[in-house]
Amino acid sequence: ASFDLLDYGLGQVVLVEGPDGSGKTRMLQEAARLASVRGICVLASECPPRDPDPASPQNASTTLPLGPLAPLFRAIAEQWRVHPDWLPRSNAAVLAPFTPAIAELGIIEDPADLPPDMARLRVLSAVHEALQALARDRPLCVVIDDLQWADDVTVALLLHLCRAGLLERLPTIFLAAHRTEDATIGLDELTRLPHVRRVSLRPLDKDEVAELAGSMLAVAPPPRDLAHTLFAYTAGLPAFAVELVRAAAEEGHLRRSG
């Protein structure tokens, strides 16, 4: 249903949320596949893990501002490379510090100094204008996995687009997944804004785990002891259940008798 909005020039942020192992990544992959079938330009990435300690040096080296938008920036840079007047050169200069793809264009223009809050707004506005220009020819689906580890600027962009109502005129779906157990203040705020759709995934119950195992093993129903053990070990989390069944089958622990 969210992809249908693109036909009317509208956008949305779709947040797939659930505990680790609940199948969020699999849902993103399937949604991205469906988007591609519909002719939507899919730009997918994932956020690298962050240390819970905000002062950790690991965060400085792995969590780059707007890092999850790297595929988007590469698409934007390609447009600038082919069409130099596609957007104002000043926009490229504003975005160049955040991505090598645009910095390599060699557009030398120093943006005017601004107070931090205004400088951030200038960056967010430049990304928005680039999204608008890129989506004119083909609607976009920006996929971000593990959004709970996203940098503050990426989350600020999503907040900005929703608060300002900019998705009402932007044919772009932001499809993101995050762990509920690692939700941040920014993500909590995002879930309460207009133009945000939440898709909550829950663990499977015992019967659903049994059905999952049976479908993987082509046995209906699967042995009761297997279903019980699988549920006990995975707490109903489908991603873990799939991996456990697959590993047991590959290692020869599961054999069909008769």
Side-chain angles (χ1 to χ4, degrees):
S2 293
F3 291 140
D4 292 338
L5 294 173
L6 299 174
D7 296 333
Y8 301 95
L10 305 174
Q12 189 177 58
V13 174
V14 180
L15 291 178
V16 180
E17 52 191 23
D20 187 23
S22 57
K24 300 182 298 299
T25 297
R26 182 71 185 89
M27 177 172 282
L28 291 191
Q29 292 171 342
E30 180 61 17
R33 185 190 67 79
L34 293 174
S36 295
V37 169
R38 294 182 62 153
I40 299 166
C41 177
V42 177
L43 302 165
S45 69
E46 61 181 342
C47 303
R50 294 184 72 174
D51 192 302
D53 180 3
S56 171
Q58 174 189 336
N59 293 339
S61 61
T62 62
T63 312
L64 302 176
L66 296 176
L69 300 185
L72 170 66
F73 286 142
R74 286 194 290 270
I76 291 170
E78 183 59 28
Q79 285 294 320
W80 253 312
R81 189 173 289 109
V82 177
H83 307 288
D85 297 327
W86 180 61
L87 280 175
R89 293 169 62 89
S90 57
N91 286 36
V94 168
L95 296 177
F98 300 95
T99 169
I102 295 178
E104 290 168 359
L105 296 174
I107 298 176
I108 303 173
E109 184 173 322
D110 293 329
D113 290 334
L114 292 175
D117 288 348
M118 294 184 64
R120 172 175 284 198
L121 181 58
R122 178 172 60 186
V123 170
L124 302 183
S125 297
V127 176
H128 171 236
E129 290 175 20
L131 282 166
Q132 281 185 310
L134 197 62
R136 284 192 196 112
D137 298 327
R138 189 179 176 194
L140 306 177
C141 178
V142 180
V143 181
I144 306 175
D145 200 0
D146 288 320
L147 189 64
Q148 73 277 357
W149 291 324
D151 62 280
D152 293 342
V153 186
T154 296
V155 176
L157 173 67
L158 298 177
L159 292 169
H160 173 66
L161 294 174
C162 294
R163 285 180 188 141
L166 299 176
L167 290 170
E168 295 175 3
R169 301 175 298 280
L170 182 65
T172 299
I173 298 295
F174 286 89
L175 180 60
H178 74 94
R179 296 179 184 177
T180 47
E181 63 266 35
D182 295 326
T184 64
I185 295 175
L187 289 180
D188 284 342
E189 181 178 356
L190 185 63
T191 61
R192 297 191 295 270
L193 292 178
H195 311 294
V196 175
R197 176 188 173 197
R198 300 173 67 181
V199 179
S200 298
L201 301 184
R202 59 169 179 79
L204 305 179
D205 60 28
K206 290 182 180 180
D207 291 340
E208 290 168 331
V209 169
E211 183 178 351
L212 174 63
S215 65
M216 291 184 67
L217 299 171
V219 176
R224 183 177 301 176
D225 288 347
L226 171 62
H228 178 79
T229 301
L230 195 59
F231 181 80
Y233 272 95
T234 65
L237 295 172
F240 295 157
V242 167
E243 288 304 316
L244 191 58
V245 171
R246 182 178 293 132
E250 291 175 351
E251 293 173 10
H253 299 304
L254 296 177
R255 296 185 180 89
R256 186 178 299 178
S257 60

